[in-house]
Amino acid sequence: SRSSAASDVYKRQAHAWHHPLPALKHTIRNGTIAIGGKMPAWGHKLTDRDMEDIIAWFQSMWSFEIYQAWARNNDRANSGG
């Protein structure tokens, strides 16, 4: 159904909300193939700024609530808490 498809897209877009920024950049840089995933590594083609721009782009599709949850999680991870 259309609502099911939209829900699936949202889940894929917001999947990264629980990963802090360093983990997101690590995943883009190194891919997930080594851990059984399908995402290729992009570190040889993208700069850190490119990766940050990509992250900002997919975060722009998140709801305010999802972004706030990510920001809290990211702050905790970066403060060692």
Side-chain angles (χ1 to χ4, degrees):
S1 78
R2 185 174 196 171
S3 64
S4 177
S7 176
D8 289 345
V9 168
Y10 177 75
K11 287 176 189 172
R12 286 193 304 273
Q13 289 174 346
H15 167 81
W17 77 267
H18 61 279
H19 299 296
L21 184 60
L24 294 173
K25 288 172 72 174
H26 175 85
T27 299
I28 294 168
R29 185 178 295 110
N30 300 303
T32 61
I33 293 171
I35 58 170
K38 295 182 180 185
M39 181 175 163
W42 292 96
H44 62 289
K45 293 193 179 223
L46 300 174
T47 66
D48 275 358
R49 178 59 195 234
D50 292 334
M51 291 179 216
E52 290 165 5
D53 288 347
I54 290 165
I55 293 165
W57 171 77
F58 67 70
Q59 287 176 327
S60 75
M61 292 183 260
W62 293 351
S63 68
F64 178 78
E65 292 80 12
I66 292 287
Y67 184 83
Q68 290 300 307
W70 175 83
R72 286 190 301 272
N73 186 49
N74 187 60
D75 289 346
R76 273 193 303 272
N78 290 327
S79 68

